[in-house]
Amino acid sequence: MAANTPTLEDAEKARWLRKLDRATAAHEKTRQRLDELVADARQAGVPLTAISEHTPYSREWVRNIAARVQAARATADVEGSE
């Protein structure tokens, strides 16, 4: 027999949701910083395999992340110069 999810009061639910929102925001900032470092490392010539061994990303993800970050930077540079 499956366990039922306990019912929360609205105030307690709101507290949990605020905690989740803060943790999600912190995670997004950290993830963005990691992605930028991955792109910087690739641009500096660090091999895909080395980056993937020191991050939670596969070589394919490293390649894709580096390309995405570089494209975003190029777009920002073009928009900033107009």
Side-chain angles (χ1 to χ4, degrees), residues 38-49:
V38 164
D40 292 345
R42 278 301 294 151
Q43 190 170 19
V46 179
L48 291 170
T49 301

Side-chain angles (χ1 to χ4, degrees), residues 14-59:
R15 281 192 299 274
W16 279 107
L17 293 176
R18 281 191 303 274
K19 288 179 183 181
L20 289 168
D21 289 343
R22 286 192 301 270
T24 298
H27 174 77
E28 288 173 354
K29 287 179 185 178
T30 301
R31 171 77 184 267
Q32 179 61 34
R33 181 67 184 129
L34 178 57
D35 289 357
E36 290 169 0
L37 289 170
V38 164
D40 292 345
R42 278 301 294 151
Q43 190 170 19
V46 179
L48 291 170
T49 301
I51 296 171
S52 70
E53 289 172 348
H54 291 271
T55 63
Y57 303 135
S58 67
R59 288 177 299 162

Side-chain angles (χ1 to χ4, degrees), residues 56-68:
Y57 303 135
S58 67
R59 288 177 299 162
E60 181 179 351
W61 274 89
V62 168
R63 186 181 310 108
N64 291 336
I65 289 166
R68 179 180 45 79

Side-chain angles (χ1 to χ4, degrees), residues 3-16:
N4 292 329
T5 302
T7 303
L8 297 176
E9 297 292 326
D10 286 342
E12 186 176 358
K13 177 182 171 186
R15 281 192 299 274
W16 279 107

